[in-house]
Amino acid sequence: MSQDPLVIFTPSGKRGRVAAGTPVLQAARSLGVDLDSVCGGRGICSKCQVSPGYGSFPKHGLTVAEDALTEINAVEERYDRIRGLKPGRRLGCQARIMGDCVIDVPAESQVHKQVVRKRAEVRDITLSPTVTLTYVEVAEPDMHHPSGDVERLLAALAAQRADSDKAGLALDFHLLPRLQKILRDGKWTVTAAIHDDGVTPPRVIGLWPGFFEGPVHGLAVDLGSTTIAGHLVRIDTGEVLASSGLMNPQIRFGEDLMSRVSYGMMNPEGAAEMTRVVREGIGTLVDELVTEASIDRSSLLDTTFVMNPVMHHLFLGLDPYELGQAPFALATGTAQRLLATDIGLSVAPGTRAYVLPLIAGHVGADAAAVALSEAPNLSDDLVLVVDVGTNAEILLGDKSGVLACSSPTGPAFEGAQISSGQRAAPGAIERVEIDPVTKEPRFRVIGCELWSDDPEFAEATAGSGITGICGSGIIEVVAEMRMAGIVDAGGLIGGPEATGTARCISEGRTYSYLLWEDEDRKITVTNGDIRAIQMAKAALYAGARLLMDKRGVDHVDRVVLAGAFGAHISPKHAMVLGMIPDCPLDRVTSAGNAAGTGARIALLNREARGEVEALVRRIEKIETAVEPRFQEHFVAATAMPNAADPFPILRSVVTLPDVTFNAGPSEDGTRRRRRRG
C-alpha cells in the first residue's frame, strides 16, 4: 500500500504526510506552518503564495516530480492575469499536493514575520569613500577649437582634481546618450559622481545638471546561509539610514551549505536556480531599504558584499561543485570589483559592487569582514573571534599572527532540527531560566519584555501566542537543564524520580522536559533536541580547539562572539554547554554583526579594502575537514561542557550537578540500560 505524500515546508523545516489532493494551505495549517490567508481560500487575497521546489533534494532524501502539485487552475490563471504571480509561485489555497514535495513559504506569506537580528552596530569609521561628488564648470563648445562634450567635461574634472592619481579619468558609457542634454540643462555646469577605489581607473558614474548637493548612498550586504542583511548608508557621512533583513530564499534547497552543493550536483540547472533566487532575494532587500529610507534608487552608487565561499560562488553565478570535495578549490578567492548590473542588481546603471576576498575554500569573505572589523591582528592579547551561524567562522590571533578555520555547525543554533524549534519571530521563546530546586521554568518570548511568571504575561502575548523555541532559547534551556540537574553531561534527560520533577515526561525509551503547554499544544525539549545542540556546539568547540593546538596554547585571553546569533546568546550559557573554550565570563563579549560592520567599513573607506586584501593573504588557513585531531576534539566536546577539558574557570562560578542518567523506561514499565550509538 502506497504511503501518503510527504510534504516538507521551509524555512520552518516542518514536515508530515497528508492525503493526496490536500491543498497546500490546509497541509500547512495541519502541520503548524506559518502561512497566511484572509480570503477563505478563494484565491483573492494572494497572501498564501508559496514557492514549490522540484528535482532531487539529497538533504531531505527525496526527489520532487513535476506533477507533485496539481496543475495551475483557472483561479490561479485569473489571479496571474489580473495581478500577477512571481515566476514559480503558486497559491497555497489552490495548489493540491499529489506527491512528495518541498514547499517554501516566502517572508511576505508568513503571518509572524521573521526577525532578522542583524542590526548596524555603532562604530567609528574613518570616511574615505570610493564615490565622491564634484561640481564643475565645463567650457562651452567653440567651432574654432572643436572638441567633444565628453572631452571638455573630463578636462574640466581633471583640472579640478589635479592630483596625479586622478590620471585616466573616463566616462561610463551609459551616461553618453544623456550627456549633452545634462550639460545644456545645467548651463554648462554639472555635478559628477566619480568612482575611484585606488585600484581601477577612476570613472564618472553619475551626472546631474547644475549643482547637486546629494547625498549619494551605498549599501553593505551580509549574505548569510540563513539570512541576508543589508544596511543603506549616506556615503558622505556614514549615517545608516535603513537596515533590513530577510531569510535567504535558498533555504528550500537545503539549510546547510553542503546540501545546497549537493542540490547543484544532483540537478542540472540547480546551481543556476540557486543563483537566481538569491539575487532575487537581494533585489527584494534593496527595494525594502530604498522604500524605508525614502531615497531615489538612482542615488545608490556603491555596494559591498560579504559571504561564505559557497554563497559567494552561487551569488556570482559560479558552480560550487569543487567546494564539496577536497581540496575545496575556489574558482576565485580574490576581491571582485564589478558593476552591480553584472550580478543582477536593479539599481543605477553605474552602481559599483565590491565583493570582499575569501580566505580559503571554507573560510569566506564574511570571516575576512570580521577580521577587518575586530582586527585580531592588532590585538596585544590572544583573542578568539567566533562568528556563530549555520557555518561558523573562527579566528584566533594577536599581533604575531592570525589563524582561521570554519566549522559546520548546521542549522540547530537557528532553531532548525529542534522538535519545537523555529526561526526568530514574535512568540518564539528566546530566554529561559529554570529554578534548580523546584525545576520550574520561566521564559520570555520575542516581542514581550515580561517573563512568563508575570501576571500580565498571558495578556501581553495573546496576539503572538507561544509559538516555539528560537536559537537563543534552545541554547539557554539546555544549559539551564544542565545546571538544574535535569540533563547529565552526556546529554541524557533524567526521569521524574531521578530529577524530582514531573516535567520530565516519558517518550519511548527516553525522556523530554516539558517547558510549556496549553490546551492546543505543548513545547518540550527532547533528547533528540539536546543531541542536535551537542553536535552543533561540539563542531564549534572542536574548530576553536584545533586553532589553539596549532598556536600551541591551552587557553585564550578573551573571546568575542560575533554574528546576529552570537549577539543574543548569554556567555554563561554558551560556556555551560561548552560551545567555546573556558575563559573568564567577563572576558567574553559580543561584537554583534561584525561581518556586516566589516562590509560597512569597506563601503565607507577605500583604504580598508586594500587592508583586508593584504590581511587575507597573511592569515594562516586551517582546513578542519582534513585535520585528524578535529574528530578527537569533536567527540570530547559532545559532553557538556567537555569530556577532556574540566573547565575550571567556569566551575568556579557555576555549579554543574554530577548526575548520570543512563536508563530509560521499557515497555513493561521496568528500567533498562539505554543503548548508546
Side-chain angles (χ1 to χ4, degrees):
M1 183 176 178
S2 61
Q3 285 187 309
D4 289 332
L6 173 66
V7 56
I8 300 173
F9 285 96
T10 63
S12 67
K14 294 182 178 179
R15 62 173 64 201
R17 294 192 178 274
V18 298
T22 301
V24 170
L25 178 60
Q26 181 180 329
R29 288 175 171 172
S30 68
L31 295 172
V33 175
D34 189 15
L35 179 58
D36 202 358
S37 178
V38 297
C39 70
R42 292 178 292 168
I44 299 173
C45 70
S46 82
K47 293 183 176 295
C48 65
Q49 289 187 38
V50 296
S51 295
Y54 299 98
S56 176
F57 291 82
K59 171 71 175 180
H60 303 306
L62 55 79
T63 297
V64 180
E66 292 293 332
D67 59 356
L69 298 182
T70 53
E71 293 184 359
I72 293 177
N73 64 17
V75 174
E76 291 175 289
E77 288 179 347
R78 180 179 181 276
Y79 182 88
D80 189 30
R81 185 173 63 254
I82 296 174
R83 300 178 63 182
L85 277 172
K86 290 183 179 180
R89 291 280 182 90
R90 298 291 303 273
L91 296 181
C93 62
Q94 301 299 312
R96 295 177 179 269
I97 298 168
M98 305 305 295
D100 295 347
C101 55
V102 176
I103 297 175
D104 183 63
V105 181
E108 60 266 32
S109 298
Q110 298 171 21
V111 180
H112 302 98
K113 298 297 186 284
Q114 167 79 20
V115 178
V116 178
R117 298 171 161 184
K118 292 192 175 183
R119 68 182 184 185
E121 305 298 328
V122 176
R123 175 66 67 92
D124 289 330
I125 300 174
T126 301
L127 296 178
S128 177
T130 63
V131 178
T132 55
L133 296 178
T134 299
Y135 172 77
V136 67
E137 296 181 1
V138 181
E140 296 186 35
D142 183 348
M143 62 185 299
H144 299 293
H145 302 282
S147 63
D149 285 352
V150 170
E151 289 72 29
R152 282 181 283 103
L153 168 65
L154 295 179
L157 287 169
Q160 190 154 319
R161 297 160 57 88
D163 42 323
S164 60
D165 67 337
K166 300 302 184 284
L169 181 64
L171 181 82
D172 266 9
F173 181 77
H174 76 271
L175 294 171
L176 190 55
R178 299 186 294 114
L179 172 62
Q180 292 191 312
K181 186 176 188 308
I182 291 173
L183 285 170
R184 286 151 181 83
D185 286 349
K187 295 181 173 51
W188 303 101
T189 64
V190 295
T191 302
I194 298 176
H195 177 270
D196 184 5
D197 63 4
V199 176
T200 57
R203 296 188 70 91
V204 179
I205 65 173
L207 275 179
W208 294 266
F211 177 69
F212 174 64
E213 62 181 348
V216 290
H217 302 94
L219 174 67
V221 176
D222 176 9
L223 174 51
S225 309
T226 303
T227 57
I228 307 173
H231 309 295
L232 192 150
V233 305
R234 275 187 59 155
I235 288 179
D236 58 337
T237 65
E239 178 187 1
V240 178
L241 302 180
S243 294
S244 187
L246 47 77
M247 299 297 292
N248 187 330
Q250 287 183 350
I251 285 177
R252 66 177 179 266
F253 306 110
E255 290 179 318
D256 60 273
L257 296 173
M258 287 303 102
S259 295
R260 296 180 204 177
V261 174
S262 296
Y263 183 84
M265 293 168 59
M266 301 293 290
N267 299 277
E269 299 299 321
E273 186 180 4
M274 287 186 283
T275 296
R276 177 182 60 80
V277 300
V278 77
R279 289 181 177 180
E280 287 177 353
I282 291 178
T284 299
L285 180 65
V286 171
D287 292 342
E288 292 178 358
L289 290 167
V290 166
T291 300
E292 181 181 342
S294 300
I295 68 164
D296 184 341
R297 68 191 306 126
S298 66
S299 70
L300 181 53
L301 295 179
D302 201 12
T303 60
T304 54
F305 295 87
V306 301
M307 62 208 80
N308 63 58
V310 172
M311 292 309 310
H312 169 277
H313 279 43
L314 290 172
F315 178 54
L316 296 182
L318 308 174
D319 192 334
Y321 174 81
E322 293 296 337
L323 297 178
Q325 56 189 351
F328 314 109
L330 296 164
T332 179
T334 58
Q336 300 298 306
R337 294 171 169 85
L338 310 164
L339 285 171
T341 52
D342 292 340
I343 47 178
L345 289 187
S346 177
V347 281
T351 302
R352 268 33 183 190
Y354 176 75
V355 182
L356 273 70
L358 307 180
I359 296 177
H362 282 164
V363 188
D366 46 1
V370 171
L372 178 62
S373 171
E374 298 308 305
N377 57 305
L378 303 179
S379 176
D380 290 322
D381 50 10
L382 187 61
V383 57
L384 179 73
V385 184
V386 183
D387 192 351
V388 187
T390 305
N391 191 66
E393 282 78 29
I394 308 169
L395 302 168
L396 176 68
D398 55 19
K399 287 181 176 179
S400 66
V402 179
L403 303 168
C405 74
S406 70
S407 201
T409 52
F413 288 153
E414 305 278 356
Q417 299 179 346
I418 304 299
S419 61
S420 296
Q422 67 165 88
R423 307 292 180 187
I429 295 173
E430 64 170 344
R431 297 288 312 280
V432 179
E433 292 180 355
I434 297 177
D435 188 302
V437 177
T438 66
K439 318 298 193 221
E440 285 297 300
R442 69 174 193 150
F443 56 82
R444 277 174 39 185
V445 301
I446 295 174
C448 179
E449 295 297 317
L450 301 177
W451 287 88
S452 58
D453 56 357
D454 189 292
E456 298 179 2
F457 177 79
E459 181 180 353
T461 58
S464 66
I466 313 299
T467 56
I469 312 174
C470 70
S472 60
I474 193 66
I475 291 295
E476 292 204 2
V477 71
V478 174
E480 288 283 327
M481 290 169 66
R482 178 72 181 93
M483 290 187 289
I486 296 169
V487 64
D488 64 17
L492 293 178
I493 300 173
E497 300 87 359
T499 60
T501 175
R503 286 186 173 273
C504 291
I505 56 178
S506 174
E507 289 195 359
R509 300 183 64 184
T510 60
Y511 293 99
S512 295
Y513 178 75
L514 179 62
L515 184 58
W516 177 84
E517 69 176 333
D518 64 7
E519 61 274 10
D520 296 322
R521 65 175 301 186
K522 60 183 179 182
I523 295 176
T524 62
V525 180
T526 70
N527 254 124
D529 298 337
I530 290 177
R531 190 63 176 167
I533 293 299
Q534 285 178 289
M535 296 297 99
K537 71 95 176 180
L540 188 62
Y541 178 91
R545 184 68 229 191
L546 195 61
L547 296 187
M548 293 166 66
D549 288 349
K550 293 291 182 180
R551 184 65 186 252
V553 299
D554 290 321
H555 71 277
V556 298
D557 296 319
R558 59 189 178 95
V559 177
V560 177
L561 297 175
F565 176 69
H568 289 86
I569 58 176
S570 148
K572 180 180 77 172
H573 292 101
M575 196 86 68
V576 167
L577 292 185
M579 289 175 60
I580 53 179
D582 197 23
C583 181
L585 292 178
D586 62 358
R587 300 285 286 168
V588 182
T589 59
S590 170
N593 182 20
T597 300
R600 280 196 296 131
I601 293 172
L603 176 69
L604 295 169
N605 186 298
R606 72 174 195 168
E607 288 78 16
R609 301 184 183 188
E611 291 173 12
V612 73
E613 291 172 30
L615 177 59
V616 162
R617 291 191 290 269
R618 295 196 302 269
I619 292 175
E620 182 180 352
K621 302 87 176 173
I622 306 299
E623 182 51 67
T624 58
V626 297
E627 287 288 341
R629 292 209 68 190
F630 180 83
Q631 189 63 24
E632 175 188 336
H633 290 314
F634 178 88
V635 171
T638 58
M640 296 183 289
N642 196 287
D645 186 341
F647 275 66
I649 300 175
L650 172 69
R651 291 180 184 273
S652 69
V653 294
V654 173
T655 299
L656 298 177
D658 185 16
V659 294
T660 302
F661 308 119
N662 60 4
S666 65
E667 293 181 359
D668 60 6
T670 61
R671 300 184 69 81
R672 59 188 178 192
R673 188 171 185 83
R674 183 181 184 273
R675 291 178 62 190
R676 301 265 186 161

